[in-house]
Amino acid sequence: MKDLSISARYVKGVGPSKLGLLNRLGIETVGDLLYCVPRRHEDRSRICRVSEVRPGNLETIKVKVLAFGDRTTKRGMNIFQLAVGDSTGVMHATWFNQPYMKDKFKVGHELVLHGKVEKHIYLQINNPEYEILEDTKDDSAHIGRIVPIYPLTEDITQRWFRNVMKFTVDNYVDAAQDMLPYDIKRRNDLMPLKQALRNAHFPVSEVVLKKAMRRLIFDEFLLLQAGIALKRATIKIDLTGYSHNLKGDLVERFKKLLPFEFTNSQKKVIKEIQEDMQSLKPMNRLLQGDVGSGKTIVALYALILAIQGGYQGALMVPTEILADQHYKNVTNLLKELNIKIALLSGDLKPKERDRRKHMIEVGEADLVIGTHALIQQGMRFKKLGLAVIDEQHKFGVAQRALLKSKSQNPDVLVMTATPIPRTLAMTVYGDLDISVIDELPPGRKEIKTLYFQEKNREKAYKIAGEQVALGRQAYVVYPVIEESQRSDLRGAVKMRDELSEFFPDLKVGLLHGRMKSKEKEKIMLDFKEKRIDILVSTIVIEVGVDIPNSSTMIVEHAERFGLSQLHQLRGRIGRGSHISYCILVSDPKNDEAKSRIKAMLKTQDGFKIAEEDLEIRGPGEFFGTRQHGLPELKIGNIVRDRGIMELARAEATELIKKDRFLRRPENRLIRENLKKKFSMEKLELAATG
Ligand code: ADP
Ligand code: MG
């Protein structure tokens, strides 16, 4: 039996230097080659003759180079043209502003060209994909079929790689081992593996290609989901945490302090959290809810529950401003309850920091609110029973793990205002249970989202001025602190001065990330207590800041911010009972920036915004790798292939339920692949041999 783990250099055509190039693509073995699936395919089974080519169509032609040359237009554009033809006629192939193309061709070359055809004086095919057919003896891999196009770097040609793949598929596909038990294949209508691999590279038809890809994607997703299911099983079955006592005086007194009733959504979520906390199994829950949906108070409820039973609670947030705000609000709200609260954030004096750390260590502090400082080395808790992480998209998995490690399997609640659709969340946050707050507290007035071009910026300022005249306050946000020679972006520092001149009677304040903690604290307090009317700021106010009287959010250079950031910024307003205005000022220069602004104007629903964002940026960018720590997907796409993901998830859950350690003979290959894919410590498969 051939072995897929042998080096790719055993493939015909791969010498030492080419092997180096393959290594750079992450390809070491024959197996890596086999699983290097094409980026797309090109249908060259229908090669057109020149006489059959129609303007407006995407066509593939096989032609000879007759002549070529380039010229420069009056406007300075370089046009390179080939005259090409076959026995039925002559046409042009044209490349714009790519003068180096002229070094690639020789008269007499045979070519396959693929691209959009237009009619000028002659028919011409514009910026076509091209392939020079050097080896006329055997073109069976390259024309007259659906042809694979691979994700390659400059130094590797499609043609060479395709020959390598053809050899690999012809000689090694039989060594591929199908890991799926028969039942799973039957239930999900999946093609056998060897057939799938063959057709993923060199498909016999579009229909078969689709089925082939579906099979390979399923395999990839199944391993992912099995890994997740295993991790969940480990947490749920093996770990012992704390069982919190739900009944008690403290929570009751806390409820009486609240100036409002919980929404139904909040009640439902609190119930889910309570059940987790009461159970001896550690809670691992994600709370999703749009900005302003009232997550913080739910978290506080849970923290009080922990404190009531004699444990400590911790709330970790991404910025000092937020830590400070939570500390003040919570201290104020809870003052009658005799709970000791410690704030631990950025630049405390060493002595003060040590004092607070000591309080936490000996258990004098019941509730700890802080930034990353909470997970720093040397931070110890006496009895941490619940850790809450707010705005978790600002932290990574590693940080979640660190906070958890401050105690023996404490309950963990993470919160996010970048909600994503449920199946997606179950994958990306696979080891977490999910709760969703899907309504806003009553009485919220609408937020009007407006868009102005740069030249109309002053209209935006006028709206802010009118709002202040009504007793409200406003934010104006800039992408940078200071202007620089390298860009023409307005910066917050200078714009504070300009806006002070624009509003001579108003108090204009300034806030940015380079200020000292104490300064930031003072500015936020001044804003809160209305000693500042208009706060000029950078993105530091992106998350969490809760000042209900502010009703205008102007974002200048809105094109410089991501969609989720814009949505978060908009979430700073619309928190009171007044109509609010979110005004985006921008001259977007590319389509992506335009589509972000369009999305903001179209919807206010955070779930929809997140979906748009995912669409625009793609899952890789959207989630970032540091956020989930899942193995990288090579073939499937969690957004595009959601349907397959759901099937794989269902099968994986079943699989792990029936055979948790995958000891049954029919699951042996899944187990082996799983071990390869996930690192041991992550999976905790190691303990089982
Ligand atoms: P999130 O963290 O989800 O963005 P917050 O927790 O900051 O939202 O809540 C936004 C505002 O709504 C806060 O001022 C909070 O006090 C208020 N709030 C929360 N729950 C309710 C409720 N059930 N009824 C009325 N107001 C609420
Ligand atoms: Mg919040």
Side-chain angles (χ1 to χ4, degrees):
M1 179 70 124
K2 281 181 174 147
D3 184 355
L4 291 185
S5 65
I6 61 168
S7 164
R9 90 186 137 85
Y10 292 105
V11 173
K12 195 176 130 202
V14 181
S17 71
K18 292 283 194 197
L19 185 67
L21 294 176
L22 290 181
N23 289 164
R24 262 194 269 154
L25 289 174
I27 296 169
E28 310 266 344
T29 65
V30 170
D32 294 339
L33 270 173
L34 217 44
Y35 279 91
C36 175
V37 302
R39 179 161 50 92
R40 62 186 181 84
H41 289 80
E42 207 169 276
D43 191 350
R44 294 185 188 165
S45 56
R46 281 190 40 255
I47 291 194
C48 242
R49 285 183 295 192
V50 171
S51 62
E52 297 162 342
V53 162
R54 294 284 164 271
N57 286 0
L58 266 178
E59 307 273 29
T60 310
I61 53 175
K62 185 183 169 204
V63 286
K64 217 174 222 165
V65 177
L66 305 173
F68 59 84
D70 70 338
R71 64 196 158 84
T72 305
T73 64
K74 268 183 246 151
R75 290 182 161 185
M77 184 174 4
N78 176 282
I79 296 183
F80 171 72
Q81 264 182 330
L82 293 177
V84 295
D86 61 14
S87 62
T88 69
V90 176
M91 63 185 288
H92 281 161
T94 308
W95 282 268
F96 301 95
N97 280 335
Q98 297 175 50
Y100 49 84
M101 290 303 289
K102 63 170 171 280
D103 300 328
K104 310 232 174 200
F105 303 101
K106 288 200 173 73
V107 170
H109 267 161
E110 289 237 44
L111 306 176
V112 172
L113 298 173
H114 174 87
K116 179 127 186 216
V117 174
E118 273 181 23
K119 169 93 185 167
H120 288 278
I121 304 167
Y122 287 95
L123 282 172
Q124 75 179 39
I125 189 163
N126 288 332
N127 289 323
E129 297 252 351
Y130 70 95
E131 195 167 310
I132 301 169
L133 305 174
E134 304 135 349
D135 169 20
T136 39
K137 270 172 287 162
D138 182 15
D139 280 327
S140 60
H142 311 288
I143 50 173
R145 61 154 61 239
I146 299 173
V147 170
I149 310 286
Y150 293 95
L152 300 176
T153 49
E154 269 288 294
D155 339 323
I156 303 181
T157 66
Q158 290 291 342
R159 192 179 169 81
W160 177 80
F161 194 78
R162 207 178 287 131
N163 281 327
V164 165
M165 278 316 304
K166 190 79 173 52
F167 183 91
T168 309
V169 171
D170 287 348
N171 289 280
Y172 289 97
V173 89
D174 281 331
Q177 295 197 53
D178 195 333
M179 70 170 183
L180 291 188
Y182 171 76
D183 272 357
I184 294 187
K185 274 186 286 203
R186 186 181 45 81
R187 270 196 298 271
N188 298 283
D189 189 22
L190 296 167
M191 183 184 269
L193 180 69
K194 288 169 199 178
Q195 193 188 349
L197 282 169
R198 248 186 229 114
N199 281 283
H201 292 286
F202 298 101
V204 297
S205 72
E206 294 281 354
V207 176
V208 177
L209 169 63
K210 233 184 166 158
K211 287 194 160 171
M213 292 308 292
R214 185 170 173 276
R215 165 65 209 258
L216 298 184
I217 293 168
F218 185 92
D219 281 17
E220 190 176 41
F221 286 177
L222 184 86
L223 288 179
L224 175 69
Q225 293 291 355
I228 291 168
L230 212 65
K231 202 165 162 192
R232 282 170 67 90
T234 309
I235 295 169
K236 288 237 146 75
I237 299 170
D238 295 344
L239 299 183
T240 306
Y242 307 116
S243 164
H244 295 274
N245 182 4
L246 300 185
K247 300 244 154 42
D249 173 46
L250 198 62
V251 167
E252 292 311 314
R253 281 161 61 208
F254 167 69
K255 278 199 239 171
K256 293 209 183 83
L257 293 175
L258 293 178
F260 48 73
E261 284 272 313
F262 284 124
T263 62
N264 285 332
S265 259
Q266 284 171 318
K267 282 185 198 156
K268 176 193 73 192
V269 164
I270 286 175
K271 195 156 161 279
E272 290 164 351
I273 293 173
Q274 276 181 335
E275 277 166 19
D276 280 3
M277 287 183 68
Q278 193 177 22
S279 149
L280 202 54
K281 298 293 158 205
M283 168 164 80
N284 234 336
R285 189 168 281 279
L286 170 72
L287 174 54
Q288 298 201 77
D290 210 343
V291 262
S293 60
K295 294 185 292 296
T296 314
I297 205 75
V298 169
L300 196 57
Y301 187 102
L303 287 163
I304 299 220
L305 208 58
I307 294 165
Q308 171 176 276
Y311 293 98
Q312 289 172 299
L315 172 63
M316 182 161 81
V317 299
T319 66
E320 281 174 18
I321 295 174
L322 204 49
D324 201 55
Q325 172 188 292
H326 280 328
Y327 177 75
K328 290 208 172 74
N329 290 347
V330 171
T331 310
N332 197 21
L333 182 67
L334 304 186
K335 57 180 178 281
E336 296 165 25
L337 296 189
N338 198 24
I339 290 176
K340 287 201 208 64
I341 309 172
L343 173 67
L344 202 74
S345 73
D347 46 319
L348 289 171
K349 296 237 163 58
K351 218 168 138 199
E352 181 56 21
R353 168 185 300 262
D354 286 346
R355 194 182 68 81
R356 292 189 197 179
K357 270 164 87 169
H358 180 74
M359 277 174 62
I360 296 164
E361 197 167 338
V362 300
E364 264 170 44
D366 304 308
L367 176 58
V368 187
I369 297 175
T371 59
H372 294 81
L374 276 186
I375 49 174
Q376 256 145 29
Q377 265 201 333
M379 260 303 298
R380 272 181 293 273
F381 288 80
K382 172 104 188 291
K383 218 179 170 192
L384 181 62
L386 170 67
V388 180
I389 301 178
D390 195 10
E391 312 292 351
Q392 79 89 38
H393 59 286
K394 297 269 156 191
F395 296 101
V397 229
Q399 286 152 319
R400 204 205 305 158
L402 262 176
L403 184 55
K404 228 172 106 155
S405 73
K406 298 289 174 193
S407 179
Q408 187 77 36
N409 304 322
D411 285 332
V412 173
L413 178 68
V414 303
M415 308 199 286
T416 180
T418 311
I420 53 172
R422 200 172 184 95
T423 32
L424 217 57
M426 289 199 291
T427 302
V428 179
Y429 308 112
D431 55 330
L432 301 171
D433 294 305
I434 296 168
S435 293
V436 182
I437 301 185
D438 49 15
E439 66 184 315
L440 294 179
R444 291 282 163 80
K445 277 279 164 50
E446 83 173 288
I447 302 177
K448 288 193 199 303
T449 305
L450 308 173
Y451 160 64
F452 291 141
Q453 288 177 305
E454 293 262 352
K455 60 175 194 240
N456 295 325
R457 293 163 44 229
E458 297 200 350
K459 283 194 196 163
Y461 301 160
K462 262 184 69 189
I463 293 174
E466 284 161 19
Q467 286 295 303
V468 174
L470 291 171
R472 306 283 90 74
Q473 289 158 284
Y475 303 96
V476 189
V477 173
Y478 293 89
V480 292
I481 300 175
E482 230 129 5
E483 335 222 318
S484 81
Q485 310 216 303
R486 270 173 291 130
S487 76
D488 45 12
L489 292 181
R490 274 171 247 283
V493 172
K494 183 144 172 249
M495 287 311 290
R496 195 273 296 266
D497 298 340
E498 246 179 66
L499 285 165
S500 301
E501 271 171 44
F502 192 90
F503 297 111
D505 305 327
L506 302 186
K507 278 152 294 178
V508 180
L510 173 69
L511 182 75
H512 61 70
R514 250 191 265 140
M515 293 161 82
K516 291 246 165 59
S517 302
K518 277 272 167 299
E519 274 178 275
K520 283 191 261 186
E521 225 172 88
K522 177 172 180 306
I523 297 284
M524 284 315 291
L525 190 68
D526 284 348
F527 191 58
K528 183 164 188 173
E529 295 181 348
K530 290 176 84 170
R531 286 187 293 273
I532 291 174
D533 301 306
I534 295 179
L535 184 61
V536 173
S537 169
T538 57
I539 195 75
V540 287
I541 57 152
E542 177 187 1
V543 292
V545 170
D546 182 31
I547 297 184
N549 189 50
S550 37
S551 66
T552 310
M553 166 63 69
I554 299 176
V555 185
E556 293 224 47
H557 300 294
E559 77 280 358
R560 305 291 293 206
F561 297 93
L563 189 49
S564 300
Q565 283 183 318
L566 290 173
H567 182 64
Q568 290 282 341
L569 285 171
R570 178 165 59 187
R572 296 313 113 224
I573 55 169
R575 294 181 159 248
S577 51
H578 334 284
I579 294 183
S580 297
Y581 297 88
C582 172
I583 309 172
L584 308 174
V585 179
S586 174
D587 287 340
K589 295 199 178 54
N590 57 45
D591 288 347
E592 217 190 287
K594 273 180 212 157
S595 55
R596 289 196 295 260
I597 290 174
K598 231 194 238 153
M600 283 291 289
L601 296 173
K602 194 166 75 187
T603 181
Q604 254 177 68
D605 179 334
F607 285 81
K608 295 215 179 84
I609 292 269
E611 272 189 74
E612 294 264 352
D613 201 12
L614 253 167
E615 197 116 311
I616 295 171
R617 287 195 287 162
E621 274 268 316
F622 180 86
F623 295 111
T625 42
R626 63 184 201 110
Q627 269 213 36
H628 50 73
L630 293 174
E632 190 196 350
L633 292 170
K634 292 214 170 80
I635 310 176
N637 171 313
I638 51 176
V639 180
R640 184 194 60 201
D641 307 317
R642 278 183 224 199
I644 308 176
M645 185 66 91
E646 267 169 65
L647 296 177
R649 181 177 169 88
E651 289 293 353
T653 310
E654 213 30 49
L655 195 70
I656 298 298
K657 203 159 97 195
K658 287 207 188 114
D659 182 18
R660 187 172 156 212
F661 298 118
L662 299 170
R663 285 202 179 109
R664 293 189 194 166
E666 69 268 28
N667 295 333
R668 179 181 61 89
L669 286 170
I670 295 182
R671 178 187 158 91
E672 279 174 17
N673 285 329
L674 206 55
K675 277 183 164 182
K676 269 185 244 162
K677 187 143 189 152
F678 292 81
S679 62
M680 277 302 154
E681 66 276 22
K682 261 192 203 141
L683 262 187
E684 289 147 50
L685 245 183
T688 73

